[in-house]
Amino acid sequence: MSPLKMLVDFLDVRLGVRDIFAKEVSGYLLPRRVNAWYTLGAVLLTLFGLQIFTGILLLVYYVPHADLAFASVQAIVNDVPFGWLIRMLHAVGANVIVIALLLHMLSVLFMAAYKGRREFTWLSGFVLFNLTMGLCLTGYLLPWSQLSFWATTVATDTPGAIPVVGDFLVEFLRGGATVGNQTLGRFFALHVVGMPLILLGLIGFHLFCVKRRGISTPPFGEDYLADELLPFFEHEEHPAGIPFFPNYVVKDAAVICFFLAFLLAIIFYLPGLFFPPSAFEPADPFVTPPGIKPEWYFLWAYQTLKIFPSEIIGLGVQGAFMTFLALLPFIDRGRERRPAKRPVFVTCYVLGILLFVAISIWGHYS
Amino acid sequence: MEPNLVSPSQRRNFLMIMLGGVGSLLAVAAGWPLVRFLMPSDTGDAASQVAIDRTLVTPGTAHLFQFQGRPAVVLQTAPGEFVALSAVCTHLGCIVQWQEEESQFLCPCHAGRFSTDGSVISGPPPKPLEILPVTLDGDQVLVG
């Protein structure tokens, strides 16, 4: 008898693992037409796992103090063996996560997978997206470079436009009148403990929603039928579907490998892509470098604030757009999910993407 | 047409072995940077010889210092006679303290006692403190 079979037998008589595997893995059926876009959830889980792993490793050498943070990051990159790789995996990985998150949300929108009583799945995903942005923002300050310092100064200054409580919010975010050691302390605590704990809880809830309600059928093909919404809870079954293991897992693994290859390709061939020169200078609170810009995924918000005559209008527009996006499943109540039958939505969708790209490019060159 | 000489189970076994082999190679490729990243680095405190100002070690007193990354102690047992020892107790690794009135070292963890030459006087330590070579060079006491 092989050691693996002995181990499985040992676990099976105690925990019934074969039964779980048969029901939840090899016997769990997914829609037959499930496509590569459905694998982005697994890609994101892998990338988040990589962030946690590399983040823990960076904590071994990182010092969260304004006087030592920059030097500690430089030491990680220049002195610690393979420190450059761990740091790059973490920093570039954050950008790849944002790309995967955007693609995941765009595919859900395009296929209207938020429909069919999946409001909680969408909402938890939307909060996860915003939490990831928060993680990116708080992590950006930690290297304590000129780029970190001034990008955080600009970002934390934004709530100052809110009437009455604006100044208080800015000071509360920074832990003082300006960005300093106290800001680094609270951003470090949020980035390393606070936000990851909430993130893990929310990921669990998101997966629970996906599993409990059932995977949505891709709205393509002649045999597609719109979801029938019954007045009670129903798990969406796919009796003629493909098994989660091995069919879907292989597809997941292939796309995960693609994203990991993409991440490594940036690290090895375009290492400076996300690191402008100001990322290599220690923070100087008395010298603002010219042309400080936020990360590419915040450029749209940055430019929006500049377009409108007052910051408060810009913030209001952003808030309204994000609220609309969060509440979309409650607003878009029609049963139709096929993109070809939703011309107005698809037009807005394409124009929205173009607008996002155009404003971001404008923000980059402005 | 020739009959298929490879059974499905043989093919499966072959693929499993190949998958295991490639997986092992990838695990080693990913594990090597991890091990190197966590490997203790040379902090520069592993110098083979440490110089201590002679004025820091007056007769009857002891001076603690770092020697090759570990605590060590030097004392002047008689005018012009210096002894250097490892300050790490041989019982469970606590740092011994100099008891000037009794002219001996006491380990505060489990009351192990050592004489000025490092030998065990009493308590649980299984062996003496390690003796370090000492030489004099003008106003400097050289250990190591």
Side-chain angles (χ1 to χ4, degrees):
Chain A
M1 189 187 285
S2 74
L4 180 65
K5 189 173 181 309
M6 281 169 66
L7 177 68
V8 174
D9 285 345
F10 178 83
L11 293 172
D12 193 40
V13 293
R14 287 162 180 81
L15 301 171
V17 289
R18 283 199 175 90
D19 183 49
I20 294 174
F21 188 81
K23 277 186 189 158
E24 306 296 336
V25 184
S26 64
Y28 183 62
L29 300 178
L30 302 179
R32 185 159 288 277
R33 287 182 189 276
V34 81
N35 54 45
W37 297 102
Y38 278 70
T39 62
L40 286 167
V43 169
L44 283 163
L45 276 179
T46 308
L47 291 174
F48 275 123
L50 189 65
Q51 288 301 103
I52 291 171
F53 182 64
T54 51
I56 291 170
L57 289 176
L58 290 174
L59 279 177
V60 174
Y61 297 104
Y62 176 73
V63 185
H65 190 281
D67 295 339
L68 304 167
F70 184 79
S72 70
V73 173
Q74 293 306 301
I76 290 170
V77 174
N78 297 321
D79 302 334
V80 179
F82 292 102
W84 61 272
L85 179 62
I86 306 294
R87 198 263 169 127
M88 292 292 272
L89 280 171
H90 197 75
V92 179
N95 287 276
V96 176
I97 279 186
V98 177
I99 293 171
L101 263 174
L102 286 173
L103 290 176
H104 189 41
M105 288 181 78
L106 286 174
S107 70
V108 167
L109 280 174
F110 187 72
M111 294 188 275
Y114 54 83
K115 293 191 175 193
R117 301 214 173 107
R118 291 187 172 84
E119 294 92 342
F120 285 127
T121 319
W122 171 261
L123 268 178
S124 56
F126 185 80
V127 178
L128 275 169
F129 175 77
N130 286 286
L131 198 59
T132 307
M133 294 290 117
L135 275 161
C136 289
L137 182 76
T138 49
Y140 209 54
L141 179 66
L142 304 191
W144 207 247
S145 63
Q146 277 288 69
L147 179 69
S148 320
F149 186 91
W150 292 104
T152 306
T153 298
V154 173
T156 51
D157 195 55
T158 309
I162 300 171
V164 188
V165 292
D167 290 340
F168 168 77
L169 277 178
V170 172
E171 201 155 322
F172 185 78
L173 270 173
R174 293 175 175 171
T178 58
V179 173
N181 194 41
Q182 67 289 346
T183 322
L184 182 61
R186 56 183 59 206
F187 273 40
F188 176 74
L190 279 173
H191 185 77
V192 173
V193 183
M195 287 182 171
L197 279 179
I198 301 171
L199 186 94
L200 287 175
L202 265 174
I203 288 175
F205 179 69
H206 189 70
L207 291 176
F208 167 77
C209 291
V210 171
K211 185 75 170 54
R212 184 72 182 139
R213 181 66 185 87
I215 302 279
S216 66
T217 310
F220 306 112
E222 288 177 0
D223 54 344
Y224 169 76
L225 287 172
D227 300 330
E228 192 179 345
L229 295 181
L230 300 169
F232 48 82
F233 172 78
E234 190 192 34
H235 174 81
E236 190 170 329
E237 303 277 357
H238 306 285
I242 57 165
F244 179 77
F245 181 86
N247 304 44
Y248 184 69
V249 169
V250 169
K251 199 183 283 253
D252 264 352
V255 183
I256 287 169
C257 286
F258 172 79
F259 268 85
L260 291 178
F262 176 59
L263 169 62
L264 290 173
I266 295 175
I267 292 172
F268 294 142
Y269 298 108
L270 292 168
L273 187 61
F274 300 113
F275 297 94
S278 51
F280 301 101
E281 296 166 19
D284 184 347
F286 299 105
V287 180
T288 308
I292 278 286
K293 294 279 163 62
E295 278 282 68
W296 61 271
Y297 39 83
F298 286 130
L299 279 174
W300 73 275
Y302 166 78
Q303 188 60 23
T304 310
L305 291 179
K306 286 165 63 176
I307 293 170
F308 289 95
S310 86
E311 268 197 3
I312 187 66
I313 298 175
L315 280 178
V317 169
Q318 284 175 18
F321 172 70
M322 293 303 270
T323 307
F324 172 77
L325 211 53
L327 300 178
L328 187 62
F330 301 96
I331 298 164
D332 181 13
R333 306 296 296 172
R335 282 176 58 198
E336 184 56 68
R337 288 182 51 211
R338 283 168 291 190
K341 306 267 182 184
R342 307 169 71 217
V344 176
F345 180 88
V346 172
T347 307
C348 293
Y349 175 87
V350 174
L351 288 178
I353 294 172
L354 291 176
L355 191 65
F356 172 84
V357 174
I359 291 184
S360 297
I361 294 172
W362 187 7
H364 180 72
Y365 289 105
S366 66
Chain B
M1 188 175 165
E2 282 194 22
N4 193 348
L5 298 176
V6 182
S7 70
S9 71
Q10 281 176 309
R11 190 178 293 126
R12 188 178 294 121
N13 282 341
F14 173 76
L15 287 172
M16 288 298 284
I17 290 166
M18 291 303 289
L19 195 64
V22 172
S24 304
L25 279 176
L26 285 175
V28 170
W32 175 243
L34 176 63
V35 172
R36 293 279 293 125
F37 183 82
L38 293 172
M39 198 76 88
S41 59
D42 179 11
T43 52
D45 55 7
S48 58
Q49 199 169 57
V50 176
I52 298 159
D53 195 341
R54 199 167 163 164
T55 56
L56 292 172
V57 198
T58 53
T61 64
H63 174 72
L64 283 164
F65 62 101
Q66 287 284 328
F67 180 70
Q68 296 185 343
R70 289 157 200 259
V73 62
V74 61
L75 67 154
Q76 198 173 161
T77 50
E81 283 186 26
F82 292 86
V83 175
L85 303 162
S86 163
V88 181
C89 178
T90 53
H91 179 217
L92 290 174
C94 299
I95 304 305
V96 296
Q97 291 174 358
W98 174 241
Q99 308 288 298
E100 201 169 329
E101 298 81 20
E102 299 162 49
S103 289
Q104 57 184 225
F105 291 101
L106 167 70
C107 176
C109 288
H110 302 97
R113 287 177 182 277
F114 300 88
S115 66
T116 52
D117 63 358
S119 57
V120 179
I121 298 170
S122 65
K127 53 184 184 182
L129 295 173
E130 185 190 347
I131 298 171
L132 307 174
V134 181
T135 49
L136 293 173
D137 181 18
D139 290 340
Q140 303 278 299
V141 181
L142 303 177
V143 180

